[in-house]
Amino acid sequence: MRQFGKFYLDQEKDIIVELYMKDEVLSYVLRTPNHHTGNLITNLAKLCHMPISFDENGLKIVEGTIPCYIDGSNRKVYVFRMDNTKVANIYPDGTVEMKASVPSISKTLMSQTKNYRPGIEKTVLKTYILRECKFRTDLHTHMNANLAPDILIALGIFHQIRYPLYYVRKLGLKYTEKQGKLLEERRKKAEEQFADSGLTGKYLKRKIEDHTFINFADLILHNPDNAAYNIPRIRASLAVLKDGQAVFTNLEKVYLYRYVFTKGVPSEDRIRITKTEKIPDEDIRNTLLKMMEDHEDPRYMNNSLFQNKLLWIARGYAQQGIEYAEISDTTLVKRDASVKMLEEIHEVMPHIYEETGVMIRFLCAIRRIPLTIIKDQVTAYDYLDENLAVLHSVMMDPYVAGSDFVGEEMNDIMDLKPVIRSIVRMSKEDPSFVIRIHAGENDSLRDNVYNSVMCVKNALEPGQKMPHIRIGHGLYTANLKTPKGKKLIQEILDCNAVLEFQITSNVRLNNLSALKEHPLKEYLKAGIRCVQGTDGAALYGTDSIDEELALEKLLELKPDDLKKMCAAEEEVLKEGKKAFARKMKKLKQELENKTYEEIIGERLRAYSAAQDRLVVHQNKLDAKEVFRDLIREMPADKLPVIIAGGSFGSAGHRTVVREKEKELIDNILATADPAKIFFVTGHMVSGYERYLLERNKGRFEVFAFVPALVTPAEKTRILKAGCAVRIAIEPLGMGIYKSIAYEIFKRRNSILIALDGNSAGANLIQEAKNGKRKAQIFVNGYSRALRAKAETLQGYAKIFRNNEEVTDQIGDLIR
């Protein structure tokens, strides 16, 4: 039996179909090697009535033969079906014609439950789109999330980037003896470099290994025996969590892995790129060969890494039939980096457009909260002043389409009202300027979409026209059938705002589990302009075509719905191209007398001199200072029991304390041993958390996780509660789930009793399931939002309504 080839049922190469030929009989083996729980292959096999077997390593596989047919041209063709859906035609010469695929959404939901419910029609999708319904834009995406892992790997080889030892070890990559000796020598030098850094333990080790590098090209090309092992692990690190829905913490970590490639620094010890034929992945190999060919092309021969990213983003869009895209990027609001970025764009984009026909423009992305995951890059809380000044300086550029607010939606958009006012007034200079706000991505701040629109509207000066407003996500609002929801719809219509939808990222980032609740059809029915984005397709294992197929099939959109979306995007596309031509003409006139850098410098100085300083979080206190006498380490020899019921919702979410849940807490307090467990709550110490503290009376240790910044009221409440304190890295209360995940779910076994909450509570549950250590998860069935989350985690989360069902189970765990 000889290996005949292979193909993949998904974009991320997670569902592999290997083909083998013997005596003209074609057989297959289906594997899911990147999904370690076995849920994905188990659910897929059950759905398609395919028998599970095991390979020599004990891993689940599906095996079978593929029937051979003779078509109308008397050609042999092997037809691979799953249930009654034709997935691929396979020809004797090895050609594979894909007819259907598994969308990223379905793959994710299959992977995190032991009881997958959607049918075959929403799992294996035919890959056809009506021509008149085909989308031609990507209006919601992010710069460093666009490129597929295989292209990033090829870029890493071609540009010979430095790859840190930390990631080599984190991913368990294999290297040659020679490479190992080189890494050890370099590690010793890095160790000397940070000898006086003041760091100790794991922090010092991380710092040293982050600054010990190997040439990525060397790691792959001079290590062919391990390439087939290493490449899938590197590929998996460049997309969000595989075995289930991720949360924003996972997304931030993936960005760190991607930054190694997207912001790559060239190695000092460059090698000759040879032996490309030994790269085991055909897509990476062919991409690298094309990059080497481009290096001989006068248009691209001097391309920087960033310019090559743009080239390959455009080529990917061209293959998907996309001709216009707007990409968000925070680099454009950084004083030291924006000019260089724009100069590189101007240098290469005309050639890219000439080759691909794809126009790429940018939205200057401002973080709605400071970035905290990169420990060495502390963002000052007055970062918005600089962002606005740089935005004003670059907004005249034709490649700049507008602005954006990005980041996890943990704060009320009203907190950014002064910033939005400044941008609205700034937009008077450019009638095409787009103001996009990420809003309504999760269910904790349901007024954010309405308030976003009103912040723009109320900031208009007398006689000023409404700028182009776009809302990114718009998933959660007040019920659209209520008076409040109808008012929102009318305001959106009056402002002619555009709503952008991207359901794959919503599902994979734990913001959407029940697709039937998606509001897109209601918006379209109301006459609101709606478009599709990808949110950075490669991060989520999708692309523009797969995203449209998912929208159509999973939300059950009709051709008329898709045509409305096509009409909306056509308006944006035409406006964007017209604005580009007008701004380019004006810029060329200005460049007759000044350099590009002089133009931007003048605008920067003029804006900075005329503006008042913005202050963020002006009424908040530093939690480390406020609670310095209460901060303690959690006991290492006791089991943490997290009580979520008061802190893990939005400010407007009120927890109603029910008698049955109070009885559950009383039973735990009465039967547990204070020497064996301690309790963990959130920062609000309200609802069930407050009840716990009142009934506890100091018998059990209780730790409250609090945000890095607190209000005076929160300070008073926590001090009065009399519990110990752990300080979270995030400045806002809705982000404390990240620190609980880091300090507990990642490091120790635990029990989570989720009694009430919404988005932050759902993230806490998902983090408990995703954690490296065992978490027993109990979810109150009377909490609608938390129950919906738990229902997608069947086999991992216990939903209860009757306390008797869980009292004994919890009791067995805590005694």
Side-chain angles (χ1 to χ4, degrees):
M1 184 179 293
R2 65 184 176 89
Q3 187 160 359
F4 187 70
K6 63 183 174 183
F7 61 92
Y8 305 92
L9 300 184
D10 69 307
Q11 291 276 342
E12 293 180 288
K13 300 185 176 181
D14 285 337
I15 310 175
I16 306 169
V17 181
E18 298 171 349
L19 302 172
Y20 299 89
M21 183 74 78
K22 183 178 181 180
D23 299 330
E24 296 192 338
V25 175
L26 187 63
S27 59
Y28 72 90
V29 178
L30 188 153
R31 305 178 190 272
T32 58
N34 300 322
H35 289 251
H36 305 298
T37 63
N39 289 340
L40 175 58
I41 194 167
T42 302
N43 283 314
L44 188 60
K46 180 180 178 182
L47 187 68
C48 300
H49 307 101
M50 303 164 83
I52 289 278
S53 57
F54 295 86
D55 68 9
E56 63 278 6
N57 297 315
L59 300 177
K60 290 181 179 180
I61 58 172
V62 175
E63 298 178 285
T65 57
I66 303 174
C68 184
Y69 297 85
I70 304 297
D71 68 12
S73 300
N74 197 36
R75 295 179 304 171
K76 288 181 182 178
V77 57
Y78 297 86
V79 180
F80 179 71
R81 286 187 172 87
M82 300 182 74
D83 202 28
N84 292 319
T85 302
K86 180 191 282 190
V87 174
N89 287 341
I90 305 152
Y91 295 93
D93 66 356
T95 301
V96 178
E97 291 180 353
M98 296 299 298
K99 304 294 182 181
S101 64
V102 177
S104 179
I105 290 174
S106 302
K107 184 181 67 173
T108 299
L109 295 177
M110 272 192 287
S111 70
Q112 73 171 13
T113 179
K114 296 183 179 180
N115 185 18
Y116 178 70
R117 293 176 180 175
I120 187 74
E121 71 283 352
K122 291 193 175 183
T123 304
V124 182
L125 304 187
K126 292 282 190 179
T127 51
Y128 297 96
I129 297 170
L130 278 173
R131 186 182 66 177
E132 58 267 33
C133 297
K134 173 69 177 66
F135 298 149
R136 297 195 295 144
T137 67
D138 187 357
L139 296 172
H140 186 121
T141 189
H142 299 272
M143 184 68 219
N144 293 312
N146 268 286
L147 288 175
D150 286 353
I151 295 176
L152 291 180
I153 291 169
L155 281 170
I157 297 171
F158 179 76
H159 286 277
Q160 303 196 40
I161 63 165
R162 301 189 309 188
Y163 198 73
L165 175 61
Y166 176 79
Y167 292 130
V168 171
R169 290 184 170 170
K170 189 79 172 175
L171 300 178
L173 304 183
K174 296 180 180 179
Y175 42 79
T176 66
E177 184 179 348
K178 181 180 177 181
Q179 290 169 343
K181 288 180 180 178
L182 179 66
L183 282 167
E184 191 55 41
E185 289 173 7
R186 291 179 175 176
R187 192 189 187 284
K188 286 179 182 177
K189 290 182 180 178
E191 197 170 346
E192 293 172 4
Q193 181 185 347
F194 296 105
D196 299 323
S197 65
L199 297 172
T200 59
K202 63 183 179 181
Y203 300 105
L204 177 59
K205 181 182 177 184
R206 172 70 189 267
K207 177 69 74 173
I208 291 168
E209 294 186 353
D210 269 340
H211 288 80
T212 304
F213 303 105
I214 186 171
N215 182 335
F216 187 73
D218 182 24
L219 178 65
I220 301 298
L221 298 178
H222 291 172
N223 185 20
D225 293 342
N226 293 318
Y229 174 89
N230 287 339
I231 286 174
R233 284 159 177 76
I234 298 167
R235 179 190 292 128
S237 75
L238 301 173
V240 294
L241 189 76
K242 297 290 185 184
D243 281 317
Q245 289 174 285
V247 296
F248 220 88
T249 318
N250 305 116
L251 177 66
E252 292 171 331
K253 289 178 180 175
V254 172
Y255 267 115
L256 296 185
Y257 280 96
R258 282 184 154 252
Y259 286 161
V260 173
F261 294 91
T262 60
K263 300 182 177 185
V265 177
S267 290
E268 296 82 3
D269 55 331
R270 298 179 71 80
I271 66 171
R272 249 184 99 234
I273 296 182
T274 57
K275 301 180 181 178
T276 56
E277 71 281 357
K278 294 195 175 182
I279 297 174
D281 188 281
E282 183 181 7
D283 293 328
I284 296 173
R285 184 169 63 249
N286 290 339
T287 302
L288 177 59
L289 291 172
K290 179 60 177 170
M291 289 174 183
M292 296 170 70
E293 181 185 319
D294 288 337
H295 193 57
E296 305 301 319
D297 187 327
R299 298 174 299 174
Y300 307 131
M301 63 191 307
N302 296 315
N303 271 11
S304 66
L305 173 59
F306 172 69
Q307 289 172 322
N308 266 341
K309 283 195 303 181
L310 291 178
L311 174 59
W312 284 91
I313 288 170
R315 283 174 173 167
Y317 278 139
Q319 289 179 346
Q320 300 159 35
I322 298 297
E323 62 181 75
Y324 181 82
E326 291 180 1
I327 301 176
S328 282
D329 196 334
T330 56
T331 306
L332 286 168
V333 293
K334 293 175 181 175
R335 190 184 297 262
D336 298 331
S338 57
V339 174
K340 184 177 186 297
M341 176 179 170
L342 285 166
E343 286 177 338
E344 289 194 8
I345 291 169
H346 278 273
E347 190 175 74
V348 77
M349 271 308 302
H351 301 308
I352 292 175
Y353 184 70
E354 177 186 45
E355 177 193 326
T356 65
V358 176
M359 176 175 284
I360 297 176
R361 301 179 75 210
F362 298 87
L363 297 174
C364 302
I366 298 172
R367 296 190 188 281
R368 62 193 309 141
I369 57 173
L371 185 66
T372 57
I373 193 168
I374 304 177
K375 304 292 189 299
D376 289 345
Q377 296 181 20
V378 178
T379 306
Y381 289 120
D382 60 353
Y383 68 101
L384 293 169
D385 289 307
E386 177 173 315
N387 287 178
L388 288 173
V390 178
L391 170 62
H392 181 263
S393 72
V394 302
M395 65 177 288
M396 38 63 66
D397 191 281
Y399 286 104
V400 173
S403 64
D404 190 9
F405 287 96
V406 300
E408 186 172 11
E409 192 178 1
M410 295 193 298
N411 55 341
D412 190 326
I413 199 64
M414 296 299 286
D415 293 346
L416 297 172
K417 186 176 178 180
V419 189
I420 295 172
R421 183 190 306 116
S422 296
I423 293 174
V424 170
R425 293 176 179 175
M426 202 185 293
S427 72
K428 290 186 297 182
E429 293 186 35
D430 179 7
S432 66
F433 194 83
V434 172
I435 300 176
R436 185 224 266 137
I437 301 171
H438 279 61
E441 190 171 5
N442 62 58
D443 74 344
S444 60
L445 294 156
R446 286 179 175 263
D447 288 335
N448 262 1
V449 173
Y450 177 81
N451 287 336
S452 295
V453 173
M454 297 310 295
C455 277
V456 175
K457 183 177 179 180
N458 294 335
L460 294 173
E461 295 185 335
Q464 183 181 356
K465 285 183 63 176
M466 178 67 65
H468 298 276
I469 306 175
R470 297 224 301 268
I471 301 295
H473 297 288
L475 190 59
Y476 294 100
T477 64
N479 187 322
L480 297 177
K481 293 182 172 64
T482 64
K484 192 174 181 179
K486 290 176 180 177
K487 184 179 181 182
L488 166 65
I489 287 174
Q490 191 57 53
E491 289 291 351
I492 293 173
L493 288 169
D494 290 347
C495 294
N496 201 28
V498 174
L499 302 189
E500 307 161 342
F501 293 98
Q502 37 284 318
I503 62 170
T504 299
S505 78
N506 293 150
V507 170
R508 291 199 73 166
L509 283 183
N510 197 38
N511 289 316
L512 179 66
S513 297
L515 296 172
K516 65 179 182 291
E517 297 180 5
H518 200 285
L520 176 55
K521 293 177 93 171
E522 288 187 71
Y523 283 127
L524 290 171
K525 185 178 179 181
I528 289 172
R529 296 194 297 165
C530 300
V531 298
Q532 173 186 277
T534 64
D535 211 16
L539 266 180
Y540 308 106
T542 186
D543 61 24
S544 182
I545 291 175
D546 269 20
E547 190 73 7
E548 182 168 356
L549 286 166
L551 270 180
E552 178 187 0
K553 305 298 184 184
L554 302 183
L555 298 188
E556 300 177 1
L557 298 186
K558 305 299 182 188
D560 283 349
D561 297 321
L562 295 170
K563 287 175 184 176
K564 288 177 183 177
M565 296 181 71
C566 285
E569 71 161 8
E570 189 67 21
E571 289 181 31
V572 178
L573 186 155
K574 286 181 177 177
E575 290 166 359
K577 287 190 171 183
K578 183 179 177 182
F580 177 82
R582 177 181 54 78
K583 292 175 76 171
M584 181 60 80
K585 181 179 178 181
K586 183 177 179 182
L587 177 61
K588 286 180 177 178
Q589 290 172 347
E590 291 189 55
L591 287 172
E592 291 177 0
N593 301 312
K594 300 175 184 174
T595 66
Y596 187 81
E597 202 163 345
E598 286 172 342
I599 294 169
I600 288 184
E602 287 179 4
R603 293 179 60 85
L604 184 66
R605 288 189 293 274
Y607 181 85
S608 300
Q611 300 302 310
D612 294 328
R613 185 173 177 272
L614 286 169
V615 179
V616 184
H617 303 308
Q618 56 185 333
N619 295 321
K620 295 204 172 183
L621 309 170
D622 184 342
K624 285 184 180 178
E625 178 62 26
V626 167
F627 303 120
R628 63 182 181 276
D629 296 332
L630 298 177
I631 298 171
R632 295 210 313 271
E633 292 292 329
M634 294 180 291
D637 58 344
K638 297 182 185 181
L639 182 74
V641 178
I642 301 101
I643 302 292
S647 296
F648 299 92
S650 60
H653 180 85
R654 180 172 171 268
T655 294
V656 177
V657 178
R658 301 172 69 254
E659 290 300 320
K660 287 290 184 182
E661 286 73 24
K662 287 163 65 175
E663 289 177 12
L664 175 62
I665 292 172
D666 287 338
N667 286 334
I668 295 172
L669 291 171
T671 58
D673 184 349
K676 293 182 178 179
I677 75 162
F678 67 94
F679 290 99
V680 174
T681 74
H683 68 299
M684 297 298 289
V685 289
S686 62
Y688 294 108
E689 300 165 2
R690 182 171 64 187
Y691 182 79
L692 168 73
L693 286 158
E694 289 172 349
R695 302 289 288 180
N696 178 45
K697 297 179 181 177
R699 183 164 171 252
F700 290 84
E701 289 184 273
V702 181
F703 288 78
F705 273 76
V706 305
L709 298 175
V710 293
T711 65
E714 289 167 345
K715 169 191 171 183
T716 301
R717 192 159 51 238
I718 293 165
L719 290 174
K720 185 178 178 181
C723 52
V725 166
R726 297 297 302 157
I727 307 296
I729 192 172
E730 293 291 337
L732 300 175
M734 282 182 59
I736 62 173
Y737 74 88
K738 298 180 182 182
S739 291
I740 293 175
Y742 180 76
E743 294 196 31
I744 297 178
F745 303 141
K746 184 179 178 182
R747 301 176 182 277
R748 56 201 299 173
N749 295 341
S750 61
I751 298 172
L752 169 62
I753 304 174
L755 298 174
D756 191 46
N758 48 29
S759 174
N763 283 340
L764 190 68
I765 293 169
Q766 188 71 48
E767 286 275 34
K769 186 267 177 188
N770 294 347
K772 292 182 179 179
R773 303 300 297 271
K774 179 68 174 176
Q776 300 286 344
I777 306 169
F778 299 90
V779 179
N780 184 5
Y782 290 103
S783 174
R784 181 173 174 270
L786 301 189
R787 183 183 71 245
K789 172 73 265 173
E791 285 173 348
T792 71
L793 299 173
Q794 299 221 13
Y796 298 95
K798 171 71 176 178
I799 302 172
F800 67 91
R801 282 192 171 88
N802 183 343
N803 288 340
E804 294 174 5
E805 298 174 11
V806 295
T807 298
D808 291 341
Q809 294 178 47
I810 295 174
D812 290 341
L813 294 169
I814 60 178
R815 291 190 189 102

